[in-house]
Amino acid sequence: MSDKVYFFDTTLRDGEQCPGASMNLREKLEVARQMERLGMDVIEAGFPCISDGDFEAVNTIAKEITKAKVCGLARCVKSDIEAAAKALEPAGDRARIHIFLATSKLHMEHKLKKAESEILRMAAEGVAYGKSFVQDIEFSPEDASRTDLNFLAKVVETVIDAGATVVNIPDTVGYTTPDEFYHIIRHLKENVPNIDKAIISVHCHNDLGLAVSNSLAAVRAGARQVEGTINGIGERAGNVALEEVIMALKTRPEQFGNVEIDINTKEIVKTSRIVARMSGMQVQRSKAIVGENAFAHSSGIHQHGILNCRETYEVMDPVAVGWGTTELPLTKHSGRAAVKARLEQLGHALSEEEVNSVFERFKKVGDSKKFVYDDDLSAIVDDSLHSHSGLWELDFVQFVAGSHARATSTIGLIKEGKRYEDSSTGNGAVDAIFKAIDRITKKKGVLKGYSVHAASEGKDALGEVTVHVDFGLAKPVTGKGASTDVVEASARAYLNAVNRSVRLAEMPQTSSVIEPTI
Ligand code: KIV
Ligand code: ZN
């Protein structure tokens, strides 16, 4: 058995599936590039058949990523497999198609309405069909942890015979427990005759808060690929947080068979921040490894202990996961070359034109705040590059509000060179601004979520606002904006959501109804 554990990141597929986390192409590309710097072995870039946007994202990431394998998801149907193969073409022999088909009694009876024999036939045919396009096929028996163990073993054997290189065992609904999952993986290792011809992978959801423990139990049992997301984002309670699994394996190797891992752990914090910023899903302060408080010691006893000997209260070195590596901040006196160099260090691959627009915004921000920290700069990048050409741009915001005054906002927008202005009253300045934007853009958005987050330290930090707005499309649209003024940041975020909704409404969406025929 190889001693390397491969990491498979599905932040851009399962992670992006969680309500409110949708990312556009630029954001996905930025996440994918950072995953590669982190050393992810496989990047699942999307579900190509589900929409033109997903197809384009997988296709672009397959072109841009040069080291990691790039994977596309497909149901066990010909049209999905063809779409994945087409989207992945630029990745050449680094392309992987991930085919899934449910195998639990519940799913077979109520969702697929298929008997075991049909499932076995479809699985074999699906893998063989995928194999006609790419060498690397991963197969997932969906809801594996609730599948009859003997049938699961039969499915695994069948797909390996058909050519699957990786067999992934998903705990789709986060139901299993560490002992049980250990037993499932051991059962497969001991009872599937051809098991050594494929890598066993695991994919744990966190409904019972057991995803990390379950993934680690599976590694102990012999699984050699772990799938998950950074920050644990994903459907419902999320997927396993890969940074936690990675650091558990690094910190307690003797507990998990001293497996090898090729992850550049110093990139973890940066990756977490990029994912949080791009997905709009903020990280809880006390979250292990990447939360703001993960290495903060406030009690005097702890601080004293740490000063004498770090190991007294820290089980890992914060520097090893990328904390404490901040460079000197930029100021309004920093020139374009310095800003460009810092952008490159931060991993933003921007065109000259994009650097110009970031620099223009940087100068404005530099006038209103003394230091521009790395996180401020990343927020500026995110904000400046959000604008969609040909759509609405913010010209100005003005508002009057206070505890005894009815809030009134006036907003100026620009579209195709033409200026528009309107005002509205509202329940606070932000509400008034959103209403004024609706009046100009003739949209009627219903705000489903609103959050504000300080990009860096200090009272003058850039405020990053994320909104989730229902415009009557298939799902709420996420918008983001940043400014030292949170009301302006709110206007930018809402406008960003309006622009995204316009783009989304133009895109044809493929049906997601499952038609399980091959
Ligand atoms: O949770 C799940 O079962 C999945 C599969 C597609 C692997 O995400
Ligand atoms: Zn999943």
Side-chain angles (χ1 to χ4, degrees):
M1 179 166 69
S2 156
D3 265 340
K4 171 160 168 156
V5 171
Y6 294 88
F7 284 92
F8 175 112
D9 178 78
T10 183
T11 303
L12 295 174
R13 199 277 300 168
D14 226 351
E16 211 240 0
Q17 243 163 271
C18 80
S22 65
M23 296 177 235
N24 63 21
L25 179 60
R26 188 188 66 75
E27 291 162 340
K28 288 186 180 179
L29 201 51
E30 190 151 337
V31 169
R33 288 197 182 110
Q34 180 57 26
M35 291 300 171
E36 186 158 67
R37 283 190 284 270
L38 176 63
M40 277 299 159
D41 299 289
V42 189
I43 299 170
E44 186 164 57
F47 196 170
C49 77
I50 218 77
S51 70
D52 288 355
D54 254 52
F55 182 95
E56 195 190 358
V58 176
N59 191 245
T60 312
I61 290 169
K63 275 184 210 136
E64 296 281 326
I65 291 301
T66 55
K67 292 199 280 294
K69 289 191 176 227
V70 182
C71 179
L73 185 68
R75 289 166 299 187
C76 200
V77 295
K78 273 188 169 173
S79 52
D80 277 32
I81 295 169
E82 285 158 10
K86 183 119 201 66
L88 289 165
E89 258 166 25
D93 59 7
R94 285 178 302 98
R96 175 181 294 178
I97 300 179
H98 178 189
I99 301 171
F100 72 100
L101 181 64
T103 52
S104 66
K105 214 163 178 288
L106 258 171
H107 281 235
M108 288 190 299
E109 273 178 28
H110 298 288
K111 186 175 84 176
L112 302 176
K113 304 194 181 356
K114 301 271 171 205
E116 287 187 350
S117 56
E118 284 175 277
I119 295 293
L120 287 174
R121 178 190 55 78
M122 284 169 61
E125 287 179 13
V127 170
Y129 191 57
K131 211 71 186 172
S132 68
F133 298 101
V134 299
Q135 270 315 298
D136 194 3
I137 299 287
E138 172 167 331
F139 182 87
S140 285
E142 192 189 8
D143 205 17
S145 56
R146 293 192 299 173
T147 296
D148 171 82
L149 209 41
N150 291 327
F151 180 55
L152 185 64
K154 190 82 209 131
V155 172
V156 171
E157 184 183 348
T158 304
V159 294
I160 296 177
D161 265 348
T165 41
V166 179
V167 183
N168 180 45
I169 307 300
D171 181 27
T172 303
V173 289
Y175 178 72
T176 199
T177 62
D179 286 351
E180 182 185 66
F181 208 40
Y182 177 89
H183 174 67
I184 292 174
I185 303 299
R186 282 312 314 157
H187 182 89
L188 297 176
K189 294 284 296 177
E190 283 156 18
N191 293 284
V192 174
N194 54 4
I195 197 74
D196 290 336
K197 297 209 178 103
I199 292 176
I200 300 193
S201 166
V202 287
H203 174 116
C204 296
H205 280 268
N206 205 28
D207 300 64
L208 292 172
L210 292 173
V212 172
S213 310
N214 290 338
S215 304
L216 291 169
V219 170
R220 265 198 315 112
R224 287 296 175 263
Q225 177 178 279
V226 177
E227 297 192 6
T229 61
I230 291 294
N231 298 342
I233 65 169
E235 292 233 68
R236 306 182 311 277
N239 288 64
V240 73
L242 285 180
E243 67 278 12
E244 295 181 19
V245 177
I246 291 165
M247 290 318 291
L249 293 177
K250 278 268 185 196
T251 309
R252 303 300 308 275
E254 77 292 351
Q255 295 293 314
F256 306 104
N258 292 306
V259 291
E260 274 170 46
I261 58 181
D262 270 346
I263 294 289
N264 181 5
T265 58
K266 286 202 163 160
E267 292 289 326
I268 286 179
V269 168
K270 188 164 142 200
T271 313
S272 160
R273 292 193 168 185
I274 289 180
V275 169
R277 176 162 291 123
M278 297 299 137
S279 67
M281 308 279 293
Q282 294 308 329
V283 173
Q284 173 197 335
R285 289 188 82 87
S286 54
K287 157 107 180 46
I289 323 288
V290 292
E292 293 284 337
N293 291 355
F295 295 92
H297 303 275
S298 56
S299 104
I301 297 174
H302 287 204
Q303 285 174 351
H304 180 72
I306 289 274
L307 289 176
N308 288 342
C309 170
R310 189 187 58 73
E311 285 81 1
T312 49
Y313 287 102
E314 273 179 7
V315 297
M316 64 200 126
D317 185 351
V319 174
V321 294
W323 284 106
T325 50
T326 331
E327 302 271 336
L328 280 180
L330 299 164
T331 68
K332 68 174 177 186
H333 302 294
S334 310
R336 186 184 180 283
V339 172
K340 187 177 172 207
R342 185 61 60 85
L343 287 168
E344 278 164 11
Q345 274 167 19
L346 290 172
H348 298 289
L350 305 184
S351 66
E352 289 302 311
E353 205 185 313
E354 287 171 334
V355 172
N356 288 344
S357 87
V358 169
F359 185 60
E360 213 177 286
R361 192 74 208 287
F362 164 83
K363 281 288 181 199
K364 287 193 188 131
V365 170
D367 275 337
S368 59
K369 102 192 265 304
K370 200 166 165 197
F371 296 119
V372 180
Y373 296 96
D374 289 352
D375 283 329
D376 292 323
L377 196 58
S378 295
I380 293 172
V381 171
D382 207 23
D383 191 82
S384 333
L385 306 184
H386 265 150
S387 55
H388 299 247
S389 53
L391 296 180
W392 298 101
E393 278 171 53
L394 182 69
D395 187 14
F396 70 88
V397 249
Q398 215 174 283
F399 53 90
V400 183
S403 7
H404 299 296
R406 178 105 178 110
T408 311
S409 298
T410 303
I411 191 138
L413 301 184
I414 302 175
K415 190 179 176 193
E416 289 158 357
K418 209 166 151 207
R419 291 194 134 69
Y420 300 78
E421 200 179 301
D422 212 330
S423 310
S424 177
T425 53
N427 191 3
V430 171
D431 182 45
I433 278 182
F434 292 174
K435 285 188 175 132
I437 294 178
D438 279 350
R439 285 165 70 100
I440 299 180
T441 59
K442 310 264 181 296
K443 287 261 174 190
K444 185 104 193 70
V446 179
L447 193 65
K448 293 286 180 192
Y450 174 95
S451 64
V452 61
H453 165 84
S456 62
E457 290 170 16
K459 287 186 184 136
D460 62 354
L462 278 186
E464 289 179 290
V465 172
T466 305
V467 292
H468 302 297
V469 191
D470 186 352
F471 290 104
L473 299 172
K475 53 180 185 171
V477 178
T478 304
K480 287 175 272 174
S483 168
T484 45
D485 181 322
V486 290
V487 179
E488 183 187 322
S490 306
R492 289 183 177 278
Y494 192 80
L495 203 57
N496 178 233
V498 168
N499 286 338
R500 283 187 183 200
S501 77
V502 174
R503 284 277 184 263
L504 281 172
E506 288 165 3
M507 263 186 205
Q509 302 289 308
T510 313
S511 148
S512 59
V513 174
I514 299 190
E515 285 157 20
T517 48
I518 184 106

